[in-house]
Amino acid sequence: MVEIDWAKEVEARKDDLFKDLFEVLSINSVKDMAHATEEFPVGPGAAKAMLKFLSLAERDGFRTKNLDNLVGYLEYGDADAEAFGLLGHMDVVPVDDKWHTDPFIPVIKDGKLYARGASDDKGPSMAAYYAVKIIKELGLPISKKIRFIVGTDEESGWSCMNHYLELEEMPKIGFSPDAEFPIINGEKAIIGVHTLFPTLKGVGDLKLESFKSGLALNMVPPTADAILTGAPASIEADFTLFLSKNGLTGQVTFDGDKAKLHLVGVGVHAMDPTLGKNSGTFLASFLNNYNFDASAANFLKVVSEYYHLVHHGEKLGVAFEHPVMGNVTTPANLFNYSAEGEKKVTLNVRFPAGTDVETIEKQMSKVLNPFDVKVEVEPGGNREPHYLSGEDPLVKTLLDVYEKHTGLKGFEESIGGGTYGRLLEHGVAFGALFQGRESTMHQPDEYMFVEDIIKAAIIYADAIYRLVK
């Protein structure tokens, strides 16, 4: 049998790969429910990016299907054959003003491709697409059909995949190019937990008019803002000292009798909140030093004492560690407090096998009950952990390919992130972040090394062909 030089095949198509990738990266595909319509259920941007991806597949001769602008797929091989699944997504998390380049004008600098979605998940998805394209163009014999499913709501709800499952059958085996190498064969369950605060009677020296922080549930908030009345003149100096001690930035501005505080933390992917600095909890911990009205005092006390720097639910009664899958994580990522309206903080809770939704809700309710805080688990989410044994043939094959092309030893790994790989009975996440590389997913100045996108395409082409030939 002739050995295929996958590196040569990818190199020959490198310019086309990046041309196509730049096109999808240039589309602002943040979920936009403010402009959602019956035609575009999660907004026009994400659908536009998905449709562009499908149009590239049509150009290259693949069968395609669009399921109501929520999810689509391309297909190659005998339509009646068993399906091998690839699952990627075209939606991206929101951006802030901390970028040094336009997040939707991709640019290559110092060997890095900067753009929102470069590493999560447009870059890896395009690498996987070109792997399938190579297999097709070489006319290689395959016994399974390849179905590449592309979603539009992976980052905040998975309505796309729920819709797919209503209309189509999910392949039983495959992978999602949406995490890291060498492999992710274990994923924690992921739920949103709302903590609803009461409105209480009672005044203080200060009144908290509003407190807002957070861009997305799966992202540790990078900035936080509060508006208060009755602030002492010393608050500006106090805040400056607090920021300096904690390695943060921000400022206080005054507008009549109102003081506006803005704090800049470090936003990161919620799967490992220890890597960031939660702006919401830091700002609450600062304000907790003052004598506020009763509602605000209750809110600030809970956030600063039970959420601040409490990454694994230690003070919420839900701490648990699995020997393979790791710890529960409980970052508070969405804050919405209004003196006259809603008072809510939503936690992004991720947990391994060994605990469950009911236990977490019960324990948090017990701990927060003295503060009249109501705990509600958000409907949906990935409510069960996913684990595929390291002895599974899929895992063994993917690790073998990884070792061949990197010269590094492969190993099993579990993460707090949730990928489409968990939707497959025999599914994993495979790449495309390489060992030793910084993860900038969900962060300003998101990037992926150009050479890593090429290397991922090589690995994907070899792996996919081994699994479908």
Side-chain angles (χ1 to χ4, degrees), residues 26-192:
S26 297
I27 299 170
N28 181 341
S29 53
V30 175
K31 184 176 182 177
D32 182 10
M33 296 308 292
H35 296 93
T37 62
E38 186 174 347
E39 181 182 9
F40 300 114
V42 293
K48 184 179 178 182
M50 185 267 290
L51 292 171
K52 168 55 69 175
F53 195 89
L54 292 185
S55 74
L56 298 175
E58 291 170 0
R59 175 201 68 192
D60 294 332
F62 291 100
R63 301 188 300 272
T64 66
K65 190 171 184 178
N66 171 21
L67 302 176
D68 305 310
N69 289 332
L70 254 180
V71 60
Y73 63 83
L74 65 92
E75 203 169 72
Y76 175 63
D78 184 347
D80 295 324
E82 178 188 359
F84 178 84
L86 296 167
L87 291 82
H89 65 91
M90 289 294 106
D91 60 305
V92 296
V93 295
V95 299
D96 57 26
D97 60 1
K98 306 306 175 188
W99 283 71
H100 292 89
T101 63
D102 188 315
F104 299 107
I105 299 180
V107 60
I108 295 174
K109 298 191 301 181
D110 301 322
K112 302 173 183 176
L113 171 57
Y114 289 88
R116 177 59 92 211
S119 61
D120 182 18
D121 180 43
K122 294 177 180 179
S125 286
M126 190 59 69
Y129 171 72
Y130 263 76
V132 179
K133 176 178 163 72
I134 289 169
I135 291 169
K136 177 179 181 294
E137 289 180 351
L138 294 180
L140 299 174
I142 62 175
S143 62
K144 293 183 177 71
K145 69 181 175 187
I146 301 170
R147 179 173 286 193
F148 197 147
I149 307 167
V150 185
T152 61
D153 188 27
E154 192 271 351
E155 297 291 1
S156 59
W158 288 36
S159 62
C160 51
M161 286 303 168
N162 293 335
H163 191 61
Y164 176 91
L165 291 169
E166 292 172 356
L167 301 175
E168 300 277 348
E169 185 176 356
M170 181 63 69
K172 287 185 169 53
I173 183 172
F175 68 81
S176 176
D178 189 23
E180 49 194 76
F181 289 120
I183 201 168
I184 302 298
N185 57 319
E187 297 184 12
K188 295 176 184 177
I190 306 173
I191 56 173

Side-chain angles (χ1 to χ4, degrees), residues 285 324-325 327 395:
S285 72
V324 175
M325 302 186 72
N327 285 294
V395 176

Side-chain angles (χ1 to χ4, degrees), residues 425-466:
E425 184 178 328
H426 288 269
V428 299
F430 187 50
L433 183 69
F434 284 90
Q435 289 175 258
R437 294 300 203 195
E438 173 191 31
S439 174
T440 56
M441 300 178 192
H442 295 201
Q443 296 181 40
D445 296 335
E446 177 183 348
Y447 72 85
M448 188 168 179
F449 279 95
V450 170
E451 64 178 310
D452 289 357
I453 296 173
I454 295 169
K455 176 67 79 173
I458 295 167
I459 291 172
Y460 289 151
D462 191 354
I464 295 167
Y465 184 54
R466 288 197 201 187

